Amino acid sequence: MRVPISAVTPETTEAEVIGWVHEVRDLGGLAFYILRDRTGFLQATIVKKKASESVLLAAKDASRESVVRITGVVKATEKAPGGREIIPETFEVIARAETPLPLDVAEKVPAEIDTRLDNRFLDARRPRVAGIFQIRSAVQHAITDLFFQEGFINITTSKIVAAATEGGTELFPLAYFEKEAFLNQSPQLYKQMMMAAGFEKVFEIAPIFRAEEHNTTRHLNEATSIDVEVSFADHEDVMDLLERVVVSCYTRVAEECPTAIEALGIDFAVPKAPFPRITYAEAIDIAALSIEEDIAYGDDLSTAAEKAIGDEMGEHYFITDWPTSIKPYYAMPFEDDPSICKAFDLMHPRMELSSGAQRIHQHDLLVEQIEAKGLSPDSFEFYLKPFKYGMPPHAGWGLGMERLVMTMLDLPNIREAVLFPRDRHRVTP
Ligand code: ATP
Ligand code: MG
Protein backbone atom coordinates (compact mmCIF):
# COMPACT_ATOMS: atom_id res chain seq x y z
CA MET A 1 0.00 0.00 0.00
CA ARG A 2 1.26 3.44 -0.92
CA VAL A 3 2.49 5.50 2.02
CA PRO A 4 2.88 9.28 1.91
CA ILE A 5 6.54 10.21 1.79
CA SER A 6 6.44 12.07 5.11
CA ALA A 7 5.23 8.85 6.75
CA VAL A 8 8.43 7.04 5.77
CA THR A 9 10.67 7.25 8.85
CA PRO A 10 14.02 5.63 9.68
CA GLU A 11 11.94 3.09 11.63
CA THR A 12 9.94 2.04 8.55
CA THR A 13 11.24 -1.24 7.19
CA GLU A 14 9.42 -1.97 3.92
CA ALA A 15 7.62 0.77 1.97
CA GLU A 16 5.81 1.51 -1.26
CA VAL A 17 6.03 5.13 -2.35
CA ILE A 18 4.72 6.94 -5.40
CA GLY A 19 6.01 10.37 -6.28
CA TRP A 20 7.68 12.68 -8.77
CA VAL A 21 11.40 12.48 -9.52
CA HIS A 22 12.58 15.80 -8.10
CA GLU A 23 16.29 15.33 -8.75
CA VAL A 24 18.61 12.70 -10.18
CA ARG A 25 22.26 12.41 -9.27
CA ASP A 26 24.20 9.68 -11.02
CA LEU A 27 27.66 9.16 -9.55
CA GLY A 28 28.62 6.16 -11.67
CA GLY A 29 28.40 3.19 -9.34
CA LEU A 30 25.74 4.92 -7.27
CA ALA A 31 22.61 6.85 -8.24
CA PHE A 32 20.36 8.99 -6.07
CA TYR A 33 16.75 9.73 -6.97
CA ILE A 34 15.03 12.33 -4.82
CA LEU A 35 11.31 11.57 -4.84
CA ARG A 36 8.73 14.19 -3.97
CA ASP A 37 5.06 14.13 -3.11
CA ARG A 38 2.96 16.81 -1.43
CA THR A 39 4.18 15.70 1.97
CA GLY A 40 7.95 15.81 1.47
CA PHE A 41 11.11 14.33 -0.04
CA LEU A 42 12.66 10.86 0.05
CA GLN A 43 15.98 9.68 -1.33
CA ALA A 44 16.06 6.42 -3.27
CA THR A 45 19.56 5.04 -3.42
CA ILE A 46 20.57 2.61 -6.15
CA VAL A 47 23.84 0.71 -5.76
CA LYS A 48 24.27 -0.35 -9.34
CA LYS A 49 26.23 -3.52 -8.64
CA LYS A 50 23.56 -4.78 -6.28
CA ALA A 51 20.40 -3.59 -8.07
CA SER A 52 18.31 -5.87 -10.29
CA GLU A 53 18.26 -5.47 -14.05
CA SER A 54 14.63 -4.26 -14.05
CA VAL A 55 15.33 -1.60 -11.38
CA LEU A 56 18.31 -0.33 -13.39
CA LEU A 57 16.29 -0.20 -16.63
CA ALA A 58 13.36 1.67 -15.08
CA ALA A 59 15.64 4.07 -13.21
CA LYS A 60 17.42 4.93 -16.44
CA ASP A 61 14.07 5.79 -18.00
CA ALA A 62 12.97 7.94 -15.05
CA SER A 63 13.55 11.50 -16.22
CA ARG A 64 13.04 14.37 -13.78
CA GLU A 65 9.36 15.02 -12.93
CA SER A 66 8.28 11.54 -14.05
CA VAL A 67 5.86 9.79 -11.71
CA VAL A 68 7.45 6.62 -10.34
CA ARG A 69 6.55 3.84 -7.96
CA ILE A 70 9.24 2.33 -5.77
CA THR A 71 9.02 -0.46 -3.27
CA GLY A 72 11.93 -1.37 -1.09
CA VAL A 73 13.71 -1.43 2.22
CA VAL A 74 14.09 1.75 4.25
CA LYS A 75 17.35 2.45 6.04
CA ALA A 76 18.42 5.19 8.38
CA THR A 77 21.10 7.49 7.00
CA GLU A 78 22.22 10.89 8.14
CA LYS A 79 23.10 12.01 4.63
CA ALA A 80 19.60 11.97 3.10
CA PRO A 81 16.60 14.27 3.68
CA GLY A 82 14.61 13.18 6.72
CA GLY A 83 17.46 10.90 7.87
CA ARG A 84 16.36 7.88 5.79
CA GLU A 85 16.63 6.39 2.31
CA ILE A 86 14.84 3.68 0.38
CA ILE A 87 16.74 0.94 -1.43
CA PRO A 88 14.49 0.00 -4.39
CA GLU A 89 13.52 -3.61 -4.87
CA THR A 90 11.06 -2.65 -7.59
CA PHE A 91 11.07 0.54 -9.62
CA GLU A 92 8.31 1.45 -12.09
CA VAL A 93 7.90 4.53 -14.25
CA ILE A 94 4.16 5.25 -14.16
CA ALA A 95 4.21 8.42 -16.26
CA ARG A 96 7.39 9.57 -17.95
CA ALA A 97 8.05 13.32 -18.20
CA GLU A 98 9.35 14.63 -21.50
CA THR A 99 12.65 16.48 -21.59
CA PRO A 100 13.60 19.26 -21.41
CA LEU A 101 11.14 20.53 -18.80
CA PRO A 102 9.49 23.89 -19.55
CA LEU A 103 10.29 24.89 -15.97
CA ASP A 104 12.81 23.71 -13.40
CA VAL A 105 10.74 22.46 -10.48
CA ALA A 106 13.85 22.09 -8.32
CA GLU A 107 14.40 25.86 -8.74
CA LYS A 108 18.07 25.56 -9.69
CA VAL A 109 17.22 27.75 -12.69
CA PRO A 110 15.09 30.80 -11.81
CA ALA A 111 12.02 31.45 -13.96
CA GLU A 112 10.16 34.60 -14.95
CA ILE A 113 6.62 34.99 -13.61
CA ASP A 114 5.17 34.59 -17.13
CA THR A 115 6.95 31.26 -17.71
CA ARG A 116 5.76 30.16 -14.30
CA LEU A 117 2.15 31.10 -14.98
CA ASP A 118 2.21 29.55 -18.46
CA ASN A 119 3.27 26.29 -16.77
CA ARG A 120 1.32 26.69 -13.55
CA PHE A 121 0.90 22.92 -13.01
CA LEU A 122 4.68 22.55 -12.92
CA ASP A 123 5.23 25.75 -10.96
CA ALA A 124 2.77 24.54 -8.33
CA ARG A 125 4.86 21.39 -7.83
CA ARG A 126 7.39 23.62 -6.12
CA PRO A 127 6.89 23.29 -2.38
CA ARG A 128 7.13 27.07 -1.95
CA VAL A 129 4.33 27.66 -4.45
CA ALA A 130 2.18 24.78 -3.20
CA GLY A 131 2.64 26.33 0.27
CA ILE A 132 1.01 29.57 -0.84
CA PHE A 133 -2.13 27.70 -1.85
CA GLN A 134 -2.15 25.55 1.25
CA ILE A 135 -2.05 28.79 3.23
CA ARG A 136 -4.77 30.37 1.09
CA SER A 137 -6.94 27.34 1.80
CA ALA A 138 -6.28 27.68 5.54
CA VAL A 139 -7.19 31.38 5.33
CA GLN A 140 -10.53 30.56 3.71
CA HIS A 141 -11.15 27.85 6.30
CA ALA A 142 -10.43 30.28 9.16
CA ILE A 143 -12.81 32.83 7.66
CA THR A 144 -15.71 30.44 7.10
CA ASP A 145 -15.22 28.94 10.57
CA LEU A 146 -15.40 32.37 12.16
CA PHE A 147 -18.47 33.39 10.14
CA PHE A 148 -20.35 30.20 10.97
CA GLN A 149 -19.41 30.50 14.65
CA GLU A 150 -20.85 34.01 14.64
CA GLY A 151 -24.12 32.91 13.03
CA PHE A 152 -23.64 34.10 9.44
CA ILE A 153 -25.46 32.64 6.42
CA ASN A 154 -23.31 31.82 3.39
CA ILE A 155 -24.98 33.24 0.28
CA THR A 156 -24.28 32.96 -3.44
CA THR A 157 -25.35 35.81 -5.69
CA SER A 158 -25.33 36.16 -9.44
CA LYS A 159 -22.23 37.26 -11.28
CA ILE A 160 -24.22 38.18 -14.39
CA VAL A 161 -25.87 41.55 -13.88
CA ALA A 162 -27.67 44.23 -15.83
CA ALA A 163 -26.21 47.31 -14.17
CA ALA A 164 -22.98 48.54 -12.66
CA THR A 165 -22.82 48.56 -8.88
CA GLU A 166 -21.19 51.94 -8.77
CA GLY A 167 -21.56 53.28 -12.28
CA GLY A 168 -17.95 53.35 -13.32
CA THR A 169 -16.10 52.04 -16.32
CA GLU A 170 -14.63 48.94 -14.76
CA LEU A 171 -17.19 46.58 -16.26
CA PHE A 172 -16.79 43.67 -18.64
CA PRO A 173 -19.74 43.63 -21.07
CA LEU A 174 -21.22 40.26 -21.92
CA ALA A 175 -22.91 38.79 -24.97
CA TYR A 176 -26.15 37.87 -23.18
CA PHE A 177 -28.84 37.03 -25.74
CA GLU A 178 -30.69 40.24 -26.71
CA LYS A 179 -29.88 42.04 -23.46
CA GLU A 180 -27.09 44.20 -22.21
CA ALA A 181 -25.33 42.44 -19.35
CA PHE A 182 -22.05 42.59 -17.46
CA LEU A 183 -19.87 40.54 -15.15
CA ASN A 184 -20.49 41.79 -11.63
CA GLN A 185 -17.84 44.02 -10.07
CA SER A 186 -19.13 43.46 -6.51
CA PRO A 187 -22.02 41.68 -4.74
CA GLN A 188 -22.75 44.96 -2.90
CA LEU A 189 -26.33 45.53 -4.06
CA TYR A 190 -27.30 41.89 -3.64
CA LYS A 191 -25.96 41.46 -0.13
CA GLN A 192 -27.80 44.64 0.87
CA MET A 193 -31.01 43.22 -0.59
CA MET A 194 -30.57 40.21 1.70
CA MET A 195 -30.65 42.62 4.64
CA ALA A 196 -34.13 43.61 3.42
CA ALA A 197 -34.91 39.89 3.33
CA GLY A 198 -34.14 39.68 7.04
CA PHE A 199 -31.06 37.41 6.79
CA GLU A 200 -29.24 39.72 9.25
CA LYS A 201 -25.72 38.33 8.77
CA VAL A 202 -24.54 37.15 5.38
CA PHE A 203 -21.21 36.39 3.75
CA GLU A 204 -20.08 35.41 0.30
CA ILE A 205 -16.62 34.42 -0.95
CA ALA A 206 -16.75 34.70 -4.72
CA PRO A 207 -15.18 36.24 -7.81
CA ILE A 208 -15.52 39.90 -8.69
CA PHE A 209 -14.65 41.18 -12.15
CA ARG A 210 -13.02 44.50 -12.86
CA ALA A 211 -11.74 45.86 -16.14
CA GLU A 212 -8.94 47.71 -14.35
CA GLU A 213 -7.35 50.25 -16.61
CA HIS A 214 -3.81 49.56 -15.44
CA ASN A 215 -1.79 46.40 -15.22
CA THR A 216 -0.37 46.56 -11.68
CA THR A 217 1.08 44.10 -9.18
CA ARG A 218 -1.95 44.49 -6.89
CA HIS A 219 -4.88 44.41 -9.33
CA LEU A 220 -6.45 41.43 -11.06
CA ASN A 221 -9.29 41.43 -13.56
CA GLU A 222 -10.83 38.51 -11.72
CA ALA A 223 -10.34 38.68 -7.96
CA THR A 224 -11.90 36.89 -5.01
CA SER A 225 -13.89 39.04 -2.65
CA ILE A 226 -14.77 38.12 0.90
CA ASP A 227 -17.99 40.05 1.43
CA VAL A 228 -20.11 40.53 4.53
CA GLU A 229 -23.22 42.47 5.40
CA VAL A 230 -24.71 42.75 8.89
CA SER A 231 -28.04 44.21 9.98
CA PHE A 232 -28.51 46.37 13.08
CA ALA A 233 -24.78 47.08 12.95
CA ASP A 234 -22.80 50.25 12.32
CA HIS A 235 -19.36 50.84 10.81
CA GLU A 236 -17.64 50.36 14.18
CA ASP A 237 -19.24 46.91 14.62
CA VAL A 238 -18.09 45.67 11.23
CA MET A 239 -14.59 47.13 11.71
CA ASP A 240 -14.32 45.01 14.86
CA LEU A 241 -15.52 41.99 12.85
CA LEU A 242 -12.94 42.68 10.15
CA GLU A 243 -10.19 42.80 12.78
CA ARG A 244 -11.32 39.45 14.17
CA VAL A 245 -11.31 37.96 10.67
CA VAL A 246 -7.77 39.14 9.85
CA VAL A 247 -6.33 38.04 13.19
CA SER A 248 -8.00 34.64 12.98
CA CYS A 249 -6.55 34.06 9.49
CA TYR A 250 -3.01 34.79 10.65
CA THR A 251 -3.50 32.71 13.78
CA ARG A 252 -4.78 29.71 11.82
CA VAL A 253 -1.92 29.92 9.33
CA ALA A 254 0.67 30.18 12.13
CA GLU A 255 -0.81 27.07 13.74
CA GLU A 256 -1.48 24.93 10.68
CA CYS A 257 1.10 25.88 8.08
CA PRO A 258 4.57 26.09 9.70
CA THR A 259 6.17 24.04 6.89
CA ALA A 260 4.73 26.26 4.17
CA ILE A 261 5.86 29.38 6.02
CA GLU A 262 9.33 27.93 6.35
CA ALA A 263 9.43 27.08 2.64
CA LEU A 264 8.57 30.71 1.88
CA GLY A 265 11.35 31.95 4.14
CA ILE A 266 9.33 34.81 5.61
CA ASP A 267 9.03 36.44 9.00
CA PHE A 268 5.54 35.64 10.13
CA ALA A 269 3.85 37.50 12.95
CA VAL A 270 0.18 37.60 13.90
CA PRO A 271 -0.97 41.26 13.87
CA LYS A 272 -2.25 42.65 17.17
CA ALA A 273 -5.79 43.95 17.49
CA PRO A 274 -7.11 46.56 17.88
CA PHE A 275 -5.57 48.08 14.76
CA PRO A 276 -4.86 51.83 14.98
CA ARG A 277 -7.55 54.05 13.48
CA ILE A 278 -6.81 57.36 11.81
CA THR A 279 -9.19 59.67 10.02
CA TYR A 280 -8.88 60.53 6.34
CA ALA A 281 -7.85 64.08 7.36
CA GLU A 282 -5.05 62.71 9.54
CA ALA A 283 -4.00 60.33 6.77
CA ILE A 284 -3.49 63.07 4.19
CA ASP A 285 -1.54 65.12 6.75
CA ILE A 286 0.80 62.18 7.31
CA ALA A 287 1.20 61.68 3.56
CA ALA A 288 1.87 65.40 2.97
CA LEU A 289 4.85 65.26 5.33
CA SER A 290 6.76 62.74 3.24
CA ILE A 291 5.70 63.08 -0.38
CA GLU A 292 6.15 65.95 -2.79
CA GLU A 293 2.76 65.91 -4.48
CA ASP A 294 -0.04 68.11 -3.19
CA ILE A 295 -2.94 66.25 -1.68
CA ALA A 296 -6.10 68.32 -1.50
CA TYR A 297 -8.79 67.39 0.99
CA GLY A 298 -11.26 65.32 -1.03
CA ASP A 299 -8.68 63.67 -3.30
CA ASP A 300 -8.51 59.90 -3.28
CA LEU A 301 -5.24 58.54 -1.87
CA SER A 302 -2.65 57.89 -4.56
CA THR A 303 -0.42 54.82 -4.49
CA ALA A 304 2.46 57.05 -3.30
CA ALA A 305 0.29 58.51 -0.53
CA GLU A 306 -0.84 55.02 0.58
CA LYS A 307 2.78 53.94 0.72
CA ALA A 308 3.93 56.99 2.72
CA ILE A 309 1.15 56.51 5.27
CA GLY A 310 1.85 52.77 5.41
CA ASP A 311 5.55 53.38 6.11
CA GLU A 312 4.60 55.71 8.93
CA MET A 313 2.00 53.34 10.44
CA GLY A 314 4.08 50.15 10.02
CA GLU A 315 1.18 47.78 10.79
CA HIS A 316 -2.46 47.16 9.81
CA TYR A 317 -4.58 50.27 10.35
CA PHE A 318 -7.98 51.74 9.51
CA ILE A 319 -8.67 55.00 7.72
CA THR A 320 -12.07 56.36 8.83
CA ASP A 321 -14.24 59.45 8.32
CA TRP A 322 -13.86 59.68 4.54
CA PRO A 323 -15.22 62.63 2.56
CA THR A 324 -18.66 61.58 1.33
CA SER A 325 -17.72 62.84 -2.13
CA ILE A 326 -15.11 60.10 -2.75
CA LYS A 327 -16.95 57.13 -1.29
CA PRO A 328 -19.80 55.26 -3.04
CA TYR A 329 -23.36 56.61 -2.87
CA TYR A 330 -24.44 53.90 -0.40
CA ALA A 331 -22.06 55.06 2.40
CA MET A 332 -23.92 56.64 5.33
CA PRO A 333 -23.05 60.32 5.93
CA PHE A 334 -22.52 61.38 9.57
CA GLU A 335 -25.68 63.05 10.89
CA ASP A 336 -23.78 66.01 12.36
CA ASP A 337 -21.48 66.51 9.35
CA PRO A 338 -22.77 64.97 6.11
CA SER A 339 -19.61 66.00 4.26
CA ILE A 340 -17.93 62.97 5.83
CA CYS A 341 -19.31 59.46 5.95
CA LYS A 342 -19.20 56.27 8.02
CA ALA A 343 -16.87 54.55 5.58
CA PHE A 344 -13.52 52.98 6.32
CA ASP A 345 -10.64 51.27 4.58
CA LEU A 346 -8.53 48.59 6.21
CA MET A 347 -4.94 49.11 5.17
CA HIS A 348 -1.86 46.93 5.25
CA PRO A 349 1.32 49.06 5.17
CA ARG A 350 1.72 47.99 1.53
CA MET A 351 -1.84 48.55 0.24
CA GLU A 352 -5.59 48.67 0.80
CA LEU A 353 -7.12 45.36 1.90
CA SER A 354 -10.76 46.21 2.42
CA SER A 355 -13.38 48.93 2.08
CA GLY A 356 -16.54 49.06 4.11
CA ALA A 357 -19.15 51.32 5.63
CA GLN A 358 -22.38 51.66 7.43
CA ARG A 359 -24.87 51.90 4.56
CA ILE A 360 -27.71 54.28 3.94
CA HIS A 361 -30.96 52.46 4.73
CA GLN A 362 -33.35 55.37 4.05
CA HIS A 363 -34.83 55.24 0.54
CA ASP A 364 -35.03 58.98 -0.09
CA LEU A 365 -31.52 59.73 1.15
CA LEU A 366 -30.18 56.92 -1.04
CA VAL A 367 -31.89 58.33 -4.14
CA GLU A 368 -30.44 61.74 -3.30
CA GLN A 369 -26.93 60.31 -3.02
CA ILE A 370 -27.25 58.33 -6.26
CA GLU A 371 -28.24 61.53 -8.04
CA ALA A 372 -25.43 63.46 -6.35
CA LYS A 373 -22.98 61.01 -7.98
CA GLY A 374 -24.47 61.81 -11.38
CA LEU A 375 -26.12 58.38 -11.65
CA SER A 376 -29.70 57.68 -12.58
CA PRO A 377 -31.95 56.07 -9.94
CA ASP A 378 -33.88 54.45 -12.82
CA SER A 379 -31.07 51.99 -13.46
CA PHE A 380 -31.18 50.96 -9.79
CA GLU A 381 -34.91 50.25 -9.54
CA PHE A 382 -34.49 46.61 -8.44
CA TYR A 383 -32.05 47.74 -5.75
CA LEU A 384 -34.08 50.70 -4.50
CA LYS A 385 -37.36 48.82 -4.17
CA PRO A 386 -36.39 46.90 -0.99
CA PHE A 387 -35.58 50.23 0.67
CA LYS A 388 -39.28 51.13 0.47
CA TYR A 389 -40.52 48.09 2.36
CA GLY A 390 -38.64 47.90 5.64
CA MET A 391 -34.87 48.03 5.24
CA PRO A 392 -33.03 47.63 8.56
CA PRO A 393 -29.91 49.70 9.31
CA HIS A 394 -26.86 47.73 8.20
CA ALA A 395 -23.13 47.79 7.53
CA GLY A 396 -20.55 45.62 5.78
CA TRP A 397 -17.30 45.33 3.89
CA GLY A 398 -15.46 43.60 1.07
CA LEU A 399 -12.00 42.16 1.67
CA GLY A 400 -9.72 41.09 -1.19
CA MET A 401 -8.64 37.48 -0.67
CA GLU A 402 -5.57 37.78 -2.91
CA ARG A 403 -4.41 40.98 -1.26
CA LEU A 404 -4.85 39.42 2.16
CA VAL A 405 -2.71 36.42 1.17
CA MET A 406 -0.20 38.53 -0.75
CA THR A 407 0.46 40.88 2.17
CA MET A 408 0.42 38.05 4.70
CA LEU A 409 3.16 36.20 2.78
CA ASP A 410 5.05 39.24 1.53
CA LEU A 411 4.56 38.19 -2.11
CA PRO A 412 5.83 40.75 -4.61
CA ASN A 413 3.01 40.25 -7.12
CA ILE A 414 -0.71 39.55 -6.55
CA ARG A 415 -0.57 36.97 -9.36
CA GLU A 416 1.42 34.73 -7.00
CA ALA A 417 -1.68 34.39 -4.82
CA VAL A 418 -3.95 33.12 -7.63
CA LEU A 419 -3.72 29.76 -9.34
CA PHE A 420 -4.75 31.05 -12.76
CA PRO A 421 -4.59 34.84 -12.73
CA ARG A 422 -6.52 36.96 -15.19
CA ASP A 423 -4.92 40.18 -16.27
CA ARG A 424 -4.95 42.37 -19.35
CA HIS A 425 -2.65 40.00 -21.20
CA ARG A 426 -3.61 36.65 -19.74
CA VAL A 427 -6.70 34.52 -20.22
CA THR A 428 -4.94 31.15 -20.41
CA PRO A 429 -4.23 28.72 -18.87
P1 ATP B 1 -8.00 50.00 -5.22
O1 ATP B 1 -8.31 51.45 -4.98
O2 ATP B 1 -6.82 49.52 -4.44
O3 ATP B 1 -7.94 49.64 -6.67
P2 ATP B 1 -10.78 49.67 -4.69
O4 ATP B 1 -11.00 50.69 -3.63
O5 ATP B 1 -11.16 49.99 -6.09
O6 ATP B 1 -9.25 49.17 -4.65
P3 ATP B 1 -12.97 48.22 -3.60
O7 ATP B 1 -13.99 48.49 -4.62
O8 ATP B 1 -12.98 49.00 -2.35
O9 ATP B 1 -11.52 48.32 -4.29
O10 ATP B 1 -12.99 46.63 -3.31
C1 ATP B 1 -12.83 46.07 -2.00
C2 ATP B 1 -11.55 45.24 -1.92
O11 ATP B 1 -11.51 44.29 -2.99
C3 ATP B 1 -10.27 46.06 -2.11
O12 ATP B 1 -9.88 46.66 -0.90
C4 ATP B 1 -9.30 45.00 -2.57
O13 ATP B 1 -8.80 44.24 -1.48
C5 ATP B 1 -10.17 44.08 -3.41
N1 ATP B 1 -10.05 44.43 -4.83
C6 ATP B 1 -10.75 45.35 -5.51
N2 ATP B 1 -10.39 45.40 -6.80
C7 ATP B 1 -9.41 44.47 -6.94
C8 ATP B 1 -8.64 44.02 -8.05
N3 ATP B 1 -8.79 44.55 -9.26
N4 ATP B 1 -7.74 43.05 -7.85
C9 ATP B 1 -7.58 42.51 -6.63
N5 ATP B 1 -8.29 42.87 -5.55
C10 ATP B 1 -9.20 43.84 -5.70
MG1 MG C 1 -11.74 50.55 -1.78
Side-chain angles (χ1 to χ4, degrees), residues 94-259:
I94 295 176
R96 189 175 183 282
E98 286 183 21
T99 53
L101 293 164
L103 187 84
D104 178 16
V105 176
E107 296 202 69
K108 299 250 155 65
V109 188
E112 296 292 329
I113 183 97
D114 271 323
T115 313
R116 293 180 44 205
L117 295 176
D118 285 343
N119 299 280
R120 197 52 150 164
F121 70 98
L122 275 177
D123 183 49
R125 288 186 193 175
R126 297 167 159 183
R128 193 171 56 83
V129 176
I132 295 171
F133 295 99
Q134 189 205 341
I135 289 170
R136 182 174 160 146
S137 167
V139 163
Q140 184 148 345
H141 195 180
I143 293 172
T144 49
D145 269 1
L146 185 137
F147 284 149
F148 287 131
Q149 271 160 21
E150 299 202 6
F152 279 75
I153 296 177
N154 189 177
I155 60 167
T156 303
T157 62
S158 181
K159 304 306 152 205
I160 300 176
V161 296
T165 306
E166 292 170 29
T169 51
E170 291 180 347
L171 289 174
F172 286 111
L174 216 61
Y176 195 76
F177 307 108
E178 298 78 30
K179 281 196 163 55
E180 184 180 54
F182 305 93
L183 290 174
N184 205 2
Q185 65 189 143
S186 152
Q188 180 66 32
L189 308 186
Y190 293 88
K191 57 182 185 167
Q192 286 192 261
M193 287 192 278
M194 297 326 290
M195 298 298 97
F199 280 25
E200 281 195 34
K201 294 173 160 190
V202 300
F203 80 95
E204 175 166 20
I205 302 177
I208 54 171
F209 302 92
R210 301 202 178 181
E212 301 283 357
E213 198 182 339
H214 305 290
N215 220 21
T216 79
T217 52
R218 62 194 166 90
H219 289 96
L220 295 158
N221 295 122
E222 179 181 14
T224 309
S225 184
I226 303 150
D227 266 280
V228 308
E229 206 62 33
V230 187
S231 286
F232 315 113
D234 64 13
H235 54 302
E236 302 273 352
D237 297 322
V238 292
M239 282 160 79
D240 294 346
L241 170 66
L242 183 48
E243 236 164 43
R244 289 198 293 285
V245 164
V246 171
V247 170
S248 81
C249 290
Y250 275 78
T251 307
R252 170 82 64 123
V253 169
E255 283 166 11
E256 286 185 0
C257 311
T259 316

Side-chain angles (χ1 to χ4, degrees), residues 168-398:
T169 51
E170 291 180 347
L171 289 174
F172 286 111
L174 216 61
Y176 195 76
F177 307 108
E178 298 78 30
K179 281 196 163 55
E180 184 180 54
F182 305 93
L183 290 174
N184 205 2
Q185 65 189 143
S186 152
Q188 180 66 32
L189 308 186
Y190 293 88
K191 57 182 185 167
Q192 286 192 261
M193 287 192 278
M194 297 326 290
M195 298 298 97
F199 280 25
E200 281 195 34
K201 294 173 160 190
V202 300
F203 80 95
E204 175 166 20
I205 302 177
I208 54 171
F209 302 92
R210 301 202 178 181
E212 301 283 357
E213 198 182 339
H214 305 290
N215 220 21
T216 79
T217 52
R218 62 194 166 90
H219 289 96
L220 295 158
N221 295 122
E222 179 181 14
T224 309
S225 184
I226 303 150
D227 266 280
V228 308
E229 206 62 33
V230 187
S231 286
F232 315 113
D234 64 13
H235 54 302
E236 302 273 352
D237 297 322
V238 292
M239 282 160 79
D240 294 346
L241 170 66
L242 183 48
E243 236 164 43
R244 289 198 293 285
V245 164
V246 171
V247 170
S248 81
C249 290
Y250 275 78
T251 307
R252 170 82 64 123
V253 169
E255 283 166 11
E256 286 185 0
C257 311
T259 316
I261 291 171
E262 201 188 310
L264 284 158
I266 47 167
D267 289 331
F268 191 89
V270 179
K272 286 198 183 46
F275 303 152
R277 296 173 185 197
I278 57 172
T279 63
Y280 165 86
E282 288 165 339
I284 57 171
D285 283 347
I286 294 172
L289 289 177
S290 52
I291 56 172
E292 299 289 306
E293 74 191 85
D294 273 344
I295 312 171
Y297 186 93
D299 284 354
D300 215 341
L301 297 177
S302 65
T303 308
E306 275 185 8
K307 188 170 178 308
I309 305 162
D311 287 348
E312 185 61 31
M313 300 301 291
E315 57 181 321
H316 289 82
Y317 63 100
F318 284 105
I319 304 178
T320 63
D321 298 14
W322 286 78
T324 307
S325 59
I326 50 172
K327 281 293 177 187
Y329 56 81
Y330 46 76
M332 177 73 96
F334 279 96
E335 292 81 6
D336 52 355
D337 180 2
S339 74
I340 54 173
C341 64
K342 299 180 182 178
F344 58 84
D345 277 8
L346 172 65
M347 308 295 295
H348 178 276
R350 287 175 67 194
M351 72 191 76
E352 176 190 319
L353 294 183
S354 170
S355 287
Q358 182 181 332
R359 325 296 189 184
I360 295 175
H361 60 277
Q362 305 91 329
H363 177 270
D364 294 354
L365 180 56
L366 189 54
V367 171
E368 229 174 78
Q369 294 298 95
I370 289 176
E371 281 170 344
K373 295 279 175 197
L375 299 166
S376 159
D378 294 345
S379 30
F380 294 97
E381 215 185 316
F382 74 95
Y383 167 64
L384 286 169
K385 196 170 177 186
F387 289 80
K388 291 193 218 167
Y389 300 97
M391 177 62 97
H394 59 281
W397 42 256

